[in-house]
Amino acid sequence: MIDIKRYDIIQAFLDKIKQKKGKVNYVEIGVQTGFCFFKIKADKKVAVDPNFIIKPTKKIKAYLNNFSNFNNVFFELTSDDFFSQKADYIKEIGGIDVIFVDGLHMHEQVVVDVENSLRFLNEGGVILMHDCNPASYAASVRGYSPMEIRKNPPPGWTGEWNGDTWKALVELRSRRKDLKIAVFDCDYGIGYVVPGKPENGLDFNVEEVKALTYDNLEQNREHYLNLKEANKYKEYVSAL
Ligand SMILES: C[S@@+](CC[C@H](N)C(=O)[O-])C[C@H]1O[C@@H](n2cnc3c(N)ncnc32)[C@H](O)[C@@H]1O
């Protein structure tokens, strides 16, 4: 099986957009240690997290391994504060070409993060999301952080945790008939959102989305998520 990671997909979209535009801006919401963020190559990279866990030595290594990191900007803010307080800054740098949404894993917040991202997304830009396809009930339990889940672990907990992010896809596919949305089946599910005609849609209201269970997802995974084989991301990159 091919092991495609979030940073492979993020980079492929950035490279395609750079070919067309010459310069690309990348924003990551929820950066933590910079495991993904520091690998990405883009002209401007913006990191947003209310609680970075980045050792100074890690930053130095990151600069040496990837010269893109010299232009990094870090905002120690929640996503909501970033979008409200830094709106002028985002416009000044020329908007966002690719944004990776991987902050608070509560589905309502994920919806807000995607809709705020759309306000600043350049034409031809892409929103990618992490943790859209949990593999077990335990991984899909609602919570603010993996630390919270670990204190009171659900049956079957293996330490892997995605929260109920998947419901954000269901809500957006139901409510937003102006967005093309899919999930690539790798690395816990990489969500893809761009403005455009949906390939297909869903019809749940907000309360119905809240009431959905992991069993519902198990029985309807491909349908709810518009799930695509991991490799298909290449077709979406080509189609940009
Ligand atoms: C799963 S980690 C991110 C991992 C990282 N994107 C990667 O791929 O290596 C989630 C991060 O989201 C941050 N976070 C929590 N609430 C947030 C919020 N409201 N806005 C932005 N980030 C948030 C947490 O502090 C945490 O560092």
Side-chain angles (χ1 to χ4, degrees):
M1 205 178 101
I2 330 152
D3 194 14
I4 298 168
K5 296 293 188 194
R6 50 198 179 283
Y7 37 84
D8 299 320
I9 296 181
I10 293 166
Q11 194 63 57
F13 279 106
L14 280 165
D15 291 349
K16 179 67 190 280
I17 297 169
K18 189 172 166 82
Q19 267 175 24
K20 288 188 183 176
K21 285 185 58 182
K23 272 191 165 192
V24 276
N25 290 341
Y26 171 68
V27 175
E28 188 167 313
I29 300 293
V31 170
Q32 204 172 46
T33 62
F35 174 77
C36 172
F37 182 78
F38 286 134
K39 291 180 174 63
I40 299 300
K41 294 189 171 121
D43 297 282
K44 183 93 192 166
K45 300 198 293 174
V46 178
V48 180
D49 198 306
N51 186 26
F52 289 110
I53 313 174
I54 305 175
K55 291 187 190 140
T57 47
K58 176 135 189 182
K59 267 195 187 171
I60 295 166
K61 275 188 198 153
Y63 293 148
L64 297 175
N65 290 335
N66 172 7
F67 292 148
S68 275
N69 286 317
F70 278 103
N71 288 329
N72 291 346
V73 175
F74 294 83
F75 290 115
E76 194 144 45
L77 294 172
T78 64
S79 50
D80 284 353
D81 286 348
F82 169 70
F83 287 117
S84 64
Q85 294 173 20
K86 302 295 170 189
D88 289 345
Y89 169 80
I90 305 170
K91 284 175 198 150
E92 267 163 37
I93 63 168
I96 300 172
D97 296 302
V98 175
I99 182 160
F100 185 48
V101 174
D102 192 14
L104 192 63
H105 286 32
M106 294 276 202
H107 78 270
E108 307 90 318
Q109 183 64 46
V110 178
V111 168
V112 170
D113 286 348
V114 169
E115 294 196 308
N116 273 331
S117 301
L118 285 164
R119 292 168 42 217
F120 298 96
L121 195 69
N122 290 331
E123 209 180 313
V126 178
I127 300 170
L128 297 169
M129 304 153 69
H130 200 209
D131 295 308
C132 297
N133 188 19
S136 67
Y137 163 75
S140 74
V141 163
R142 263 173 86 76
Y144 283 94
S145 68
M147 288 70 84
E148 181 194 331
I149 308 294
R150 200 169 289 133
K151 278 187 199 151
N152 187 15
W157 165 254
T158 60
E160 291 184 323
W161 180 71
N162 315 109
D164 70 352
T165 303
W166 66 274
K167 290 190 179 183
L169 278 294
V170 177
E171 182 182 328
L172 288 164
R173 292 189 61 225
S174 300
R175 187 161 55 74
R176 296 289 303 252
K177 304 299 181 193
D178 57 340
L179 299 177
K180 186 172 170 185
I181 300 176
V183 173
F184 305 118
D185 192 7
C186 57
D187 198 351
Y188 304 104
I190 304 299
Y192 163 91
V193 179
V194 294
K197 191 172 176 286
E199 291 168 356
N200 42 47
L202 296 172
D203 200 17
F204 294 99
N205 67 37
V206 171
E207 288 311 312
E208 287 167 337
V209 172
K210 269 191 199 152
L212 289 173
T213 64
Y214 182 75
D215 280 348
N216 296 140
L217 176 68
E218 268 285 71
Q219 284 154 27
N220 300 282
R221 208 174 273 276
E222 285 173 20
H223 176 53
Y224 281 6
L225 302 180
N226 195 21
L227 193 61
K228 306 287 175 192
E229 271 175 33
N231 242 329
K232 281 257 173 193
Y233 83 88
K234 293 181 183 165
E235 288 177 24
Y236 286 73
V237 170
S238 301
L240 257 196

